Amino acid sequence: LRQNMPLRMSFWTTHPCVFKSSQSEALPNLATNDITYAPLQTFTEEEMMMKEMVKKFAQERIAPLVQKMDKEAKLDDSVLQGLFEQGLMGIELGPEYGGTGSSFFSTILVTEELAKVDPSVSLLCELQNTLTNKLFTTYGTEEQKRTYLPRLAKDMVGSFCLSEPGSGSDAFSLKTRAEKKGDYYTINGSKMWISFAEQAGVFLVMANANPSAGYKGITCFIVDRDTEGLHVGKKEDKLGIRATSTCPVTFENVKIPESNILGQVGQGYKYAIGMLNQGRIGIAAQMLGLAQGCFDHTIPYTKERTQFGKRIFDFQGMQHQIAHVAVQLEAARLLTYNAARIVETGKPLIKEASMAKYYAAEIATLTTSKCIEWMGGVGFTKAYPIEKYYRDCKIGTIYEGTSNMQLSTIAKCIAQEY
């Protein structure tokens, strides 16, 4: 029996695969005196200017309207107009299309700053930049870019149509069909949970043009709002991010010219995967900003509120809870910023994007819950914005891939690494 057992010492020797998933990578042909090893929170001058500009805009133009927009479940027209005026709806678009010409990391900083004040407004900016604009710039023809990108940067909202009543997490089981008839396609089907469908001027619709090929028949179509047969339904009455419109969209014999295919026939599933990977970093930034905004509203209160003769912040039990949340906020920020920087290198980032999105959403849930507890009774009322942050954060564990789906994705990546 002893002969068939491995030596105990072998359990303690390092397996060649250990730590593989966290291995660092050296930059080739780089001398140590040629680089400054800057922290992840070190920004370029342009990024810093963008961050400060958005902070000022959010405080002056959005903050006074947040409570009203939440109550009425409607985005104020002046806020949408302000986003276009500030160049925040075309952050990465080149000047030739009316954009700002900034970086993906700038989009993440903008999303975070807006979410500190109102996650609903942040979502509008995030989706426009990481999904709609990115799909056009990456897969659109020059004619499609010239037709739509200047409008998307100036005055038009785009909407991404993927989810359906029977295909949520199993997104590629969608039933919307696109039947080819000569030089055009006829689209029939229905979509659900379509963000900003109420405001959208153009829809990027995922439909299956070859059902016999399964998900490899999924194709992306550009559908203008005024196209006959397209119907936007009544918006959902939601728990949180209430200023955003979320509507069902139906397509009844919608006739689309072949020239309105975005990219190639049958490649839509690849486009969706690629865009959603970056979009998840955007959602991570939204959840991070939301959590930080809630935290920033709460801590000053704990330093003003007194009980038993001293500030509640000064109780050790409170200090430990606050420090615990602060550490996790910082960890979420570093995961998010790191994933965003990886995007700019052009390297694969499926695992890092899922980690950032998963963790930021979970920490937003923890932070907002704790903030209500620290505020006590007033945190439970609408007199303070804390309860709104609490309601807004829940969607972070659901859209653009649920928390469980992120964990599954992370696990698959780890399995491949070992």
Side-chain angles (χ1 to χ4, degrees), residues 105-274:
F105 195 81
S106 293
T107 298
I108 295 306
L109 291 178
V110 169
T111 301
E112 180 186 358
E113 286 301 317
L114 291 174
K116 290 177 182 178
V117 175
D118 192 350
S120 292
V121 178
S122 174
L123 180 65
L124 173 57
C125 181
E126 189 272 330
L127 290 178
Q128 184 91 343
N129 284 284
T130 68
L131 276 179
T132 305
N133 293 350
K134 187 69 73 173
L135 277 165
F136 273 111
T137 56
T138 306
Y139 303 111
T141 64
E142 188 56 38
E143 182 180 356
Q144 290 170 343
K145 292 176 185 178
R146 293 287 179 189
T147 300
Y148 291 99
L149 290 180
R151 290 286 311 277
L152 289 166
K154 181 182 178 181
D155 58 14
M156 184 168 71
V157 175
S159 193
F160 181 65
C161 300
L162 177 62
S163 296
E164 296 183 2
S167 59
S169 292
D170 185 14
F172 297 149
S173 65
L174 59 83
K175 302 300 182 186
T176 299
R177 299 289 183 254
E179 184 181 355
K180 186 168 174 38
K181 297 181 178 180
D183 60 352
Y184 67 90
Y185 284 80
T186 300
I187 299 178
N188 283 282
S190 59
K191 300 290 183 178
M192 280 194 74
W193 318 119
I194 305 306
S195 296
F196 298 102
E198 192 174 55
Q199 291 87 4
V202 62
F203 296 84
L204 296 178
V205 182
M206 292 294 179
N208 201 318
N210 183 13
S212 63
Y215 68 87
K216 291 185 178 181
I218 296 174
T219 304
C220 185
F221 294 88
I222 304 168
V223 183
D224 294 320
R225 185 184 187 90
D226 59 1
T227 304
E228 185 177 357
L230 185 155
H231 305 285
V232 176
K234 181 181 178 182
K235 66 182 178 183
E236 303 290 344
D237 187 7
K238 305 190 298 292
L239 170 73
I241 55 167
R242 291 177 54 76
T244 67
S245 64
T246 306
C247 312
V249 180
T250 58
F251 304 87
E252 297 179 12
N253 296 317
V254 174
K255 187 176 178 179
I256 300 298
E258 195 169 3
S259 59
N260 273 36
I261 291 176
L262 188 68
Q264 298 179 351
V265 174
Q267 297 296 301
Y269 74 98
K270 289 184 179 179
Y271 304 160
I273 291 171

Side-chain angles (χ1 to χ4, degrees), residues 39-56:
L40 279 171
Q41 295 195 54
T42 301
F43 310 136
T44 65
E45 184 177 350
E46 179 185 346
E47 290 165 351
M48 199 68 214
M49 289 176 61
M50 178 80 79
K51 178 181 171 72
E52 292 301 317
M53 179 272 287
V54 173
K55 179 179 179 180
K56 185 173 185 290

